[in-house]
Amino acid sequence: MGGLPILWYQEFAVSRFVLRGCPRCGGDLFLNEGDWQCLQCGRYWFNRRPQAAAPSAFLSFWRERAGHTDGGPSAAEEKSA
Amino acid sequence: MTASKPILLALDADTRRTGWAVFEDYAVAQSGVITFGATRAGTAQQRIECLIAALDEVAARFRPAEVALSSPSGLRWEVPALALLESELAAWARRSGLPLTAYPVAQIRREVAQHPRAPAPALAFAVMTALDMVGTAKSTHEWEAIAAGAYHLSRTGAAAG
Ligand SMILES: [Zn+2]
């Protein structure tokens, strides 16, 4: 995939990153048009599909337990809701 | 304040490698993999006996109140060794006085990673984001076990309120 332009990289807010989040290579993930992409290996992780309007019971449960409203994929999903 | 949950032992059982994870109060307290690499030879029965012995150690150490199992029986192929493994695990849980809940692999994957045949890294990713474990280094079998445990807790915890 090659390197990303530095300026483009800097445009992203911190909440659009999951540091070392790639299960494949351990690279950082960033939110790319609603899906997570690894900066290191370029792989996409389709964690939250747009058509999944209502999160699964599994996700709802753990999100409620964590009680987090910012950071990572959950923030992205809440924004799009 | 929510009441703390009794300790749960989650397993991703296989006759060669078994991932396990201990949940304490809705968080992964410890996880590991039981392997049988040292003795290459050996029948499925012998490997299962090794597994049971190792599980006894884990249970003695963490004193779980229940067991959740990612059950390979949902797979399309029929493997006698896996059927044996499942029945032996069920017998072990009974002997140990531990209620065991088995979930087909496909069911866990569908609920956790939104697809019944989600690849292992996708399952791991879904679990680590849901449980705030991003950046934690675990093996595939450990993530499978953690997924089983997390799924079980989401079902029983939600039911209990
Ligand atoms: Zn990667």
Side-chain angles (χ1 to χ4, degrees):
Chain A
M1 270 229 111
L4 292 165
I6 290 284
L7 284 176
W8 185 40
Y9 191 104
Q10 285 175 342
E11 267 181 32
F12 289 96
V14 174
S15 66
R16 292 192 181 190
F17 281 91
V18 177
L19 296 178
R20 300 186 304 281
C22 180
R24 182 61 57 84
C25 76
D28 298 345
L29 297 174
F30 76 102
L31 197 60
N32 188 2
E33 294 182 6
D35 288 311
W36 293 88
Q37 191 182 13
C38 176
L39 288 171
Q40 191 164 294
C41 70
R43 198 184 169 88
Y44 277 93
W45 297 98
F46 306 104
N47 189 42
R48 306 274 191 278
R49 300 321 306 264
Q51 65 266 30
S56 67
F58 172 83
L59 276 176
S60 308
F61 175 82
W62 284 101
R63 206 171 293 169
E64 199 173 303
R65 282 216 66 83
H68 57 190
T69 51
D70 62 341
S74 14
E77 197 179 53
E78 271 153 29
K79 239 178 273 170
S80 71
Chain B
M1 283 281 123
T2 36
S4 70
K5 181 87 180 154
I7 294 167
L8 167 73
L9 172 62
L11 300 173
D12 170 55
D14 194 341
T15 55
R16 294 191 181 275
R17 247 177 220 93
T18 288
W20 59 270
V22 170
F23 284 76
E24 219 165 317
D25 199 18
Y26 294 98
V28 177
Q30 191 80 250
S31 68
V33 180
I34 300 163
T35 55
F36 314 102
T39 50
R40 281 190 137 232
T43 62
Q45 178 70 54
Q46 286 168 326
R47 287 198 298 270
I48 289 168
E49 279 166 18
C50 286
L51 167 64
I52 298 294
L55 286 179
D56 276 333
E57 282 178 32
V58 172
R61 192 168 146 209
F62 295 99
R63 306 196 165 279
E66 56 176 336
V67 180
L69 171 69
S70 167
S71 159
S73 66
L75 300 174
R76 240 185 303 147
W77 55 84
E78 285 291 321
V79 183
L82 287 181
L84 177 66
L85 173 68
E86 283 208 67
S87 66
E88 291 289 319
L89 280 175
W92 168 76
R94 267 199 308 277
R95 276 200 310 277
S96 311
L98 296 169
L100 180 144
T101 315
Y103 300 102
V105 167
Q107 183 182 345
I108 294 172
R109 286 179 132 65
R110 190 177 56 243
E111 295 298 320
V112 174
Q114 281 101 58
H115 196 285
R117 290 189 308 280
L123 182 75
F125 181 70
V127 172
M128 64 172 75
T129 49
L131 274 67
D132 271 336
M133 293 178 75
V134 169
T136 315
K138 304 269 183 201
S139 70
T140 298
H141 286 272
E142 285 170 284
W143 285 121
E144 301 270 348
I146 292 168
Y151 178 55
H152 177 75
L153 288 173
S154 77
R155 288 173 62 98
T156 56

